[in-house]
Amino acid sequence: MNLITRTSRLALIALVLLHQACKKDTDNGPSPGGGGTGPGPGSNGLITSWSPLKPYPDEVITFTGGPFNTDLVQNTVTSNNQAFNVLSVSTTQLVVQPPAGWAPFTGGYSAVFVNSGTSADTVPYMYWKRPFNLMHLEDNLDQIFSGQPARAGDSVLFNLTGATLTGMSMSLNGQVIPGPFALDSGFYCTIGFRIPLIFASGTDEATVESALLSATNADGRSDTLTIAFAPTPDMRVQGMELLGGGNTFSISAMNSGGQVLNFRVFGRYLHSTQPWALSGPSPATGTLGVGGYPNEAFLVVNPVSMQPGFYTLSISGTLVSYSFTFTP
């Protein structure tokens, strides 16, 4: 009985010691760490928070906590096996920035390891914003062929990444482009808008120049892109009509009533220098003479001093025309 009792007591003591050893390991084991959620693996609670909470991969980050070693070279911060640039340190704050070209692995987060003198901490899950990048012209929806420049008055699509779905702003050569802007997603996406006529100038559609397109996220992050820009809108003459209609008119009757023929030319973004021609016994030429790239213009044919005969009024360089006859 004494031998059995002694053996039982030894077994009980061994179990108690084993329990205490396991409890000690559990207390010092991994926990979430960083951002005010407690110390990381093997740490002493060096990091309590950081700002910005979800930074861009090239953004300056301030870690708060400490005490940090105030000797700059005694501080290292790494993630994905790359060292961040240590910018400054105080007893309570450590300021760093990822190296150029650094990016988190797929998933948008990474573990960040902080060492300051003999102290260390780990932020096991630091989430990163996707890089904001205005990339290139995807399509000019108003042009038939691809590769066309962005043109004043046209509806265009640009590729970009990391966009905020609302609250974006854009400008061209520093002049604000009125929104809203259509975005199809927030990662690899396209942004669509129409370039307003406030950017239009000239009458030569072959003119192409460089322009600076700028996009700004709702959080203030901006990016720019130099694009080929055509300032002259793409004019399209679609037709011509005689107000009141008709094809045969008496010169004497019109003159006695002070009447004229009023033609309406319609299309899109008409140019002031677009020529017209009146063929017939009393020919004439001129230009549309409009301003501001309107979608319609008016031409007047006055029968005073005109000879009777068959006439055709046409818009030069197009198939648009209207024929009529003047009788005495």
Side-chain angles (χ1 to χ4, degrees):
M1 288 295 293
N2 290 339
L3 180 59
I4 294 174
T5 300
R6 182 181 179 186
T7 301
S8 299
R9 288 177 178 175
L10 290 174
L12 179 60
I13 292 171
L15 288 172
V16 170
L17 291 175
L18 179 61
H19 173 74
Q20 292 296 329
C22 292
K23 183 177 186 297
K24 183 177 182 180
D25 288 345
T26 301
D27 288 345
N28 289 334
S31 60
T37 57
S43 75
N44 60 358
L46 187 66
I47 305 299
T48 58
S49 64
W50 60 89
S51 179
L53 186 61
K54 188 176 182 180
Y56 283 99
D58 63 350
E59 199 164 6
V60 173
I61 305 163
T62 300
F63 290 102
T64 300
F68 297 109
N69 189 310
T70 56
D71 184 356
L72 206 67
V73 298
Q74 294 296 315
N75 294 271
T76 61
V77 177
T78 60
S79 184
N80 293 349
N81 299 316
Q82 293 192 54
F84 287 10
N85 300 312
V86 180
L87 305 181
S88 65
V89 62
S90 67
T91 57
T92 58
Q93 289 189 329
L94 178 62
V95 182
V96 302
Q97 185 176 27
W102 182 89
F105 295 143
T106 302
Y109 64 87
S110 69
V112 178
F113 304 95
V114 180
N115 287 274
S116 182
T118 58
S119 301
D121 203 349
T122 300
V123 179
Y125 299 103
M126 177 172 281
Y127 287 87
W128 303 85
K129 293 181 180 178
R130 296 183 178 96
F132 182 53
N133 183 16
L134 184 58
M135 298 168 67
H136 57 81
L137 176 67
E138 166 69 18
D139 195 7
N140 186 339
L141 299 179
D142 289 292
Q143 300 296 325
I144 298 174
F145 302 103
S146 62
Q148 295 290 325
R151 184 178 294 276
D154 284 354
S155 181
V156 293
L157 294 174
F158 283 87
N159 285 123
L160 69 164
T161 62
T164 50
L165 294 177
T166 59
M168 285 194 64
S169 61
M170 300 194 73
S171 65
L172 185 67
N173 286 340
Q175 191 169 0
V176 174
I177 300 174
F181 306 103
L183 279 160
D184 60 355
S185 75
F187 190 28
Y188 289 111
C189 54
T190 58
I191 184 169
F193 56 93
R194 184 171 294 279
I195 301 177
L197 290 181
I198 57 176
F199 298 101
S201 63
T203 57
D204 185 358
E205 294 185 18
T207 300
V208 178
E209 55 195 36
S210 294
L212 188 66
L213 182 68
S214 177
T216 303
N217 258 348
D219 61 7
R221 177 56 65 104
S222 297
D223 196 27
T224 59
L225 177 69
T226 300
I227 63 172
F229 176 65
T232 304
D234 180 18
M235 180 183 68
R236 298 183 185 180
V237 180
Q238 297 170 337
M240 179 165 50
E241 64 177 356
L242 174 60
L243 300 184
N247 296 99
T248 303
F249 308 93
S250 168
I251 294 177
S252 59
M254 292 187 68
N255 287 338
S256 64
Q259 295 177 320
V260 297
L261 299 183
N262 195 358
F263 292 89
R264 173 180 173 263
V265 180
F266 56 92
R268 189 180 73 165
Y269 306 142
L270 302 180
H271 297 173
S272 61
T273 56
Q274 181 64 26
W276 57 263
L278 178 66
S279 62
S282 302
T285 59
T287 61
L288 295 183
V290 293
Y293 312 100
N295 294 331
E296 63 179 12
F298 296 91
L299 300 176
V300 175
V301 175
N302 193 330
V304 174
S305 302
M306 294 189 70
Q307 299 297 315
F310 182 78
Y311 288 86
T312 298
L313 179 63
S314 60
I315 306 300
S316 303
T318 75
L319 299 177
V320 175
S321 64
Y322 194 101
S323 296
F324 59 94
T325 301
F326 272 149
T327 62

